[in-house]
Each structure stands twice: as structure tokens, then as C-alpha cells.
Amino acid sequence: MCLALIVAGLDTLIITMALPSIQDQLSATPGELQWMVDAYSLAFAAPILFAGGLVDRFGRRLGFSSGMVVFLIASIAAVLAGSAATLIAARVGMGLGAALIMPSTLSLIRHIFPPEERAKAMGIWVGAASLGVPLGPVIGGVLLENFWWGSVFLINLPLIGAALIGCLLLIPESRNEDHPGLDTVGLVLSVAGLLAAVDGIIEAPAHGWTSARTLILVIGGVAVLAGFIVWERRARNPMLSDAVFRDRHFGGPLVTISTLSFGLFGALFLVTLYLQFALGYAPLKAGAHMLALCTMMFAAPLATKLVERFGLGPVSMFGLVLMVVSLVLLAAGDTPSSGRVLLALGVMGIGVGFGTAPSTNSVLEATPAHQSGAGSAVADVAFQLGGALGIAVMGSVVTTSYRNGVTVPDGLSPSLHEAAAGSIGGAAAAARFLGDGGARLLASATDAFLDGVRSATIIGAVVAAVGAVLAAIVLPRRRAESPASEAAEIRGDLVA
């Protein structure tokens, strides 16, 4: 299961390293390149709740293996793609496969591992699920230095193949034998709401946060998701029990998960650009810095043990505080050095491990066993939506700051002038045509970009700080020994 999770994470950002080669060989437009990245995230996040309901109904091992087969076929299609449209369609298929893989693995953990081992397994799950994202640029850089752009998808085939064989040999099947049937209205509302909200968030930097398109999609998506919650509370056979929406062990951790992924994905997006364009590192060297996030692999299992002693609230709050510290490290000073970036990412990894592992376990424990697929899907949605929002918001802040701060000299063609004014990557490409003026353009572009990075990371730190405050208020400060003690603790919180 962890092997499949790592592959699903790899494909979130691994394609970003291959975009220049893809643009050259497939004659892709800038819009098509953007969709090659976004199509995966959109197809991943939108149907997750639908996928969670399916695995509860038809079988969790079946859902997991089916997701891997879809992912495998789509990866082959991406390797063989001869046009930008074909590659975008293949990325959609990979996202749909990942949408089946993620909730199936969480639900399988709930049904395979006994309670005394479940928290430990959850810590390992979080480490594997999070590790794939930073590994993407590293593996992509290695492959692209030795092979063609299709190799970034070819790597999926042996890994998913091995995971599929392991699934068939080792994982027992489980399903809700008394499943009353799929909640069709709930499924339609969840997919439609998530599709609109995620698309609006992803495309907001390109169309503008106040554009009619963005506002309609985001507000409309949120409204449809609110309608989904209302429907679930009244439906005869809801996808999720009405009780989970009133349980702070379910809703509270979702805030922790989403705020942590906001900072994680947003920072990864900016740091990758910063190392390559501001510090001039090659893709492989820049990607190698992401390995500092491997600290989450050690923190996640430890966090689940600390929750037993100190409670979910303090451990989650500590993880969010570490996220604040890491983002402040990136924002401080004039030009963050390579060493400071490594330190910040290492601290960030510990924070993600401490916050996400126990929060995900809490969501899963608060979900009825027969609806574990749908419940785990909600945790996945929180992670994906938080990450998409982090990239969109922090990326938009950098873009706006850059455009307001860069000074582009005369002497460029309209297309090069527009590229230089739009991004630091465009400025680097345009500088080659300016002679001595190229150095001045690069200096102006770097300063404008760094100003944007500082502003964006401060915003990420504020979001994490708000999450830490909410974790301290909402989540339990100690492990409740009984329903009565839990009720007393809630009453004390309300009085406070």
C-alpha cells in the first residue's frame, strides 16, 4: 500500500521537471502545460468521496487494485503520448486511479490492523503518502539527466506492478456486506462540489481571484458541498453518518490536515522555483533539497505514541507551530541560503509528521467501520484541497508581487517582454537576448521574486498559526478515558 501511495505522490510534481522537454517535443502551449500539471490534481481530488463510497460498497481490496490498474494503463498512455491532448487525458486517468488508491488504503488499514497497531500503521501511511510529493522533483531530475521526458511516467510501471502483485497476494478483501446501496444524490453533490471548487482554486492565479469565473466556481462549489452536508444529515442511507459531522474528533483534525498541506504544497512549489531560478541550481540539485522533508518519516510514527500521553490537541498544535517556524525561516533575511532551505524543510517535515499522522488516525477512528472508505476519503479531500489552495494562494501572491516589482528593459520582442514580465523563468529566458542588459533584468527579476516569496511564506505561516490556535481550542488535550470524561472535557471547553 505504501509503494502505491508513494507513486501517487510522485506524479503530483514529477512532471514539472519535464515540462521544458514536453513543450519542445509536443509543441505544447503554455495553457496545455498548465493543464498537464493541474489535470492530475483535479481528477485526483474531485471524485475521492465518490471513490470512498464505491470501495465501501464493492470491496476495499477491489477498489485498491482497480485504482492501480487504471493508474498503470494511464501511465502507459502518458509514455506513448504523441500530442499534448493525449498527455493531458492520460494525466486525468492517473488522477482517477489515485483517487481510488488513497481512500482504499486508509480504509484497509482500518479493517486489517487491530486497534493497538492501527496508530502505528497510520504513522507509516502518512509518511509514505507525504514522501512521494518531495521525491517527485528528485527522481524527475535523475531520469531527465539520462533519459527522455517519458521516463518520468515509465518509472510508474514497475512500482505499480509490484504493488499490484503484493495486493493480490497479501491484502484480504473487506466490504460492508449490509451496505444499503450507494447514496446517488450525495455522490453527485460531492463530485460536482469538489470539481467546481478545486478547478476554481487551481485556475485562480491564471484568471484572477476576483474574476467572475473564479468566484462562480469557488463559491458555487462550496455551496454545493454545503448542500451535500445538509443532504447527508437527512438522507435515509447517507454516505457518512450524521454523527461524524458533530464529532470534533472528525471535524477538528480536518482543519489540521488542510492547514498543514496548505503550507507544505505551497512551500514546495515556491522552493522548487527559488532554488532553480534564484540560486541557479540544476533540476537534480534543486530536487535533492526536497529529501530534507524525509524527517516526516521519523516524526509520524512517534507522533501517534505522543498522542497517547499528551492528547491529540497538543501534538497537532506542536506540528502546526513547527510549520510556522519553517515558513518564517524561509521568509527571514534577504536571500535564504541552501543551508537555511534545508533546515526549513527538515523542520517542516517534522511538523507535517506530528500534525497529519494523529489527525488522520482520529478521522478514521471517528468514522463508523462500515463507512471507513467514505470517511478516509474526507481526510484525503482535506489534504488535497489544502494543498491546491496553498499552491494557488501562495503562487498567486508571488506572481502579483513579481509583476509589480520587476523592471523589464526595452529591446525585447512583445512575446519575450510579456514572458519576462510574467515570471522569473521568463525573465531568465529573455535575458539571453539582452547582452549586458540581461544581468540587470535578472537582478530585478530575482529581487521581485524574493519579495513575493517572503510575502507568500508569511501568509502560509499565518494560516498555520490559525490552525494551531484552532487545534488548541477544538481538539482534546488528553486522551478521554470514557464517554463521561469526554463529555466533561467538552463541557469544560464550552465553559472556557
Side-chain angles (χ1 to χ4, degrees):
M1 288 192 291
C2 287
L3 186 58
L5 285 173
I6 290 174
V7 176
L10 279 178
D11 279 85
T12 303
L13 293 179
I14 195 171
I15 192 176
T16 58
M17 313 302 291
L19 290 180
S21 299
I22 293 173
Q23 182 177 28
D24 180 55
Q25 296 186 30
L26 298 185
S27 300
T29 65
E32 288 172 332
L33 293 175
Q34 181 69 31
W35 269 109
M36 288 173 192
V37 179
D38 293 345
Y40 181 79
S41 298
L42 189 59
F44 193 165
I48 278 186
L49 282 175
F50 176 79
L54 285 179
V55 302
D56 283 335
R57 172 67 177 84
F58 297 106
R60 299 173 180 97
R61 188 181 77 157
L62 176 62
F64 181 45
S65 58
S66 299
M68 287 190 287
V69 169
V70 172
F71 203 100
L72 197 63
I73 294 172
S75 297
I76 295 172
V79 172
L80 301 176
S83 67
T86 303
L87 183 54
I88 292 171
R91 291 282 290 170
V92 171
M94 293 161 69
L96 293 175
L100 276 169
I101 289 172
M102 288 286 280
S104 298
T105 54
L106 271 177
S107 185
L108 283 167
I109 286 175
R110 171 71 180 270
H111 289 270
I112 291 175
F113 290 90
E116 64 272 14
E117 294 290 335
R118 196 174 297 148
K120 186 188 302 182
M122 192 61 60
I124 297 171
W125 182 94
V126 168
S130 304
L131 186 61
V133 177
L135 278 180
V138 181
I139 295 177
V142 172
L143 292 172
L144 290 169
E145 285 198 357
N146 297 280
F147 306 102
W148 90 113
W149 64 265
S151 62
V152 300
F153 304 114
L154 195 63
I155 189 66
N156 296 341
L157 306 188
L159 299 179
I160 288 293
L164 184 57
I165 293 172
C167 169
L168 298 176
L169 293 177
L170 301 174
I171 296 179
E173 181 60 284
S174 66
R175 64 173 61 87
N176 180 9
E177 299 294 347
D178 299 321
H179 199 288
L182 292 176
D183 175 15
T184 307
V185 175
L187 293 175
V188 171
L189 289 174
S190 66
V191 172
L194 287 170
L195 185 65
V198 174
D199 183 40
I201 290 170
I202 288 175
E203 294 296 310
H207 296 277
W209 283 95
T210 57
S211 68
R213 181 188 187 279
T214 300
L215 293 177
I216 290 172
L217 286 174
V218 174
I219 295 175
V222 171
V224 172
L225 289 174
F228 163 73
I229 295 176
V230 173
W231 170 261
E232 290 296 288
R233 299 185 69 174
R234 299 180 179 180
R236 178 178 298 178
N237 300 314
M239 188 187 309
L240 279 172
S241 170
D242 174 52
V244 301
F245 293 105
R246 299 191 303 268
D247 190 347
R248 63 176 178 165
H249 292 83
F250 183 89
L254 295 178
V255 176
T256 300
I257 293 170
S258 58
T259 50
L260 279 170
S261 64
F262 183 101
L264 173 66
F265 280 81
L268 281 177
F269 177 72
L270 297 182
V271 167
T272 302
L273 295 176
Y274 171 77
L275 292 172
Q276 292 184 78
F277 293 117
L279 296 185
Y281 290 170
L284 178 57
K285 186 176 181 180
H289 283 68
M290 303 300 112
L291 294 176
L293 283 165
C294 290
T295 51
M296 71 180 72
M297 293 289 292
F298 306 100
L302 177 61
T304 56
K305 295 181 179 180
L306 293 177
V307 169
E308 297 179 359
R309 179 169 183 178
F310 299 105
L312 179 62
V315 176
S316 298
M317 183 181 66
F318 181 62
L320 284 159
V321 168
L322 290 179
M323 175 62 73
V324 173
V325 171
S326 67
L327 292 169
V328 169
L329 280 172
L330 291 174
D334 296 330
T335 305
S337 63
S338 173
R340 200 193 320 162
V341 170
L342 288 171
L343 176 61
L345 293 179
V347 173
M348 185 178 295
I350 298 173
V352 172
F354 270 85
T356 307
S359 296
T360 305
N361 188 52
S362 178
V363 170
L364 204 60
E365 292 293 333
T367 306
H370 65 282
Q371 294 179 326
S372 57
S376 62
V378 174
D380 295 331
V381 167
F383 190 76
Q384 293 296 324
L385 276 180
L389 191 59
I391 292 174
V393 171
M394 294 172 71
S396 182
V397 169
V398 171
T399 300
T400 301
S401 177
Y402 176 86
R403 289 176 176 171
N404 292 337
V406 69
T407 301
V408 182
D410 297 329
L412 291 171
S413 65
S415 60
L416 285 175
H417 189 283
E418 182 180 357
S423 69
I424 189 172
R432 296 196 296 267
F433 298 90
L434 286 175
D436 294 337
R440 292 192 297 273
L441 171 59
L442 284 177
S444 175
T446 300
D447 289 341
F449 177 75
L450 286 175
D451 287 341
V453 169
R454 281 189 284 269
S455 300
T457 48
I458 289 172
I459 289 175
V462 170
V463 171
V466 171
V469 173
L470 291 175
I473 296 174
V474 176
L475 296 179
R477 291 181 294 277
R478 60 188 179 277
R479 193 175 185 180
E481 298 299 334
S482 66
S485 63
E486 173 72 1
E489 184 180 343
I490 294 174
R491 287 195 297 272
D493 287 343
L494 292 174
V495 171

